[in-house]
Amino acid sequence: MLPARNRRDYDDIPEEVRKTLEFIWLERVEDAVGAALASWNRALNARDWALLQSVQRLRPGQLESYKQTFASKNVRQTIAVSWIAELAPTRFETEVVITREERKFFVWRVVGRETRQAIAALEGGAWRLSGL
């Protein structure tokens, strides 16, 4: 994730390096929270546990709980931002809405929806979520 104003320097990065990276250009620092949530949604629903651990600070036992809940391909979950408040340039408090759905005979239906407070913080050059 890089500031959009740095896009002009994109061509200065060697092509072989660019091919190995995903660039997310941010107009506002709040966009980083949205990008982190999009990564979380992709990781969880793809059952990519390594990626999930890179975007979420997991509590003890939380990964095992995710693996059990999402063992079936008939379950999916999305997370969306309700509001964001800046605590510091690299730390945001956010309220998110988590929606869980199950598929029954080709139709997805909502089986749960909850609102949680979370913190998005820049750690080691990557945005991570905690409190989910």
Side-chain angles (χ1 to χ4, degrees), residues 23-128:
F23 292 86
I24 300 172
W25 304 102
L26 306 173
E27 295 294 332
R28 302 175 327 218
V29 72
E30 295 91 347
D31 295 340
V33 175
L37 293 175
S39 294
W40 186 88
N41 285 328
R42 274 194 311 278
L44 186 64
N45 292 310
R47 281 58 170 179
D48 186 338
W49 308 122
L51 177 58
L52 184 68
Q53 291 177 83
S54 74
V55 297
Q56 182 181 352
R57 179 176 292 163
L58 298 167
R59 295 183 304 274
Q62 193 171 14
L63 182 60
E64 290 72 27
S65 176
Y66 278 145
K67 287 179 178 180
Q68 184 178 12
T69 300
F70 292 91
S72 166
K73 293 291 185 186
N74 293 324
V75 177
R76 68 182 180 189
Q77 186 165 295
T78 57
I79 188 170
V81 174
S82 178
W83 57 261
I84 298 174
E86 183 176 358
L87 302 175
T90 59
R91 188 174 170 86
F92 293 86
E93 180 179 2
T94 182
E95 181 177 273
V96 296
V97 177
I98 300 171
T99 304
R100 184 168 294 166
E101 299 174 302
E102 289 182 357
R103 184 172 54 200
K104 302 277 187 191
F105 303 108
F106 309 107
V107 177
W108 289 97
R109 64 183 180 93
V110 174
V111 295
R113 184 173 283 133
E114 62 182 289
T115 302
R116 292 188 188 169
Q117 305 293 318
I119 297 290
L122 187 60
E123 297 176 2
W127 287 91
R128 294 190 67 192

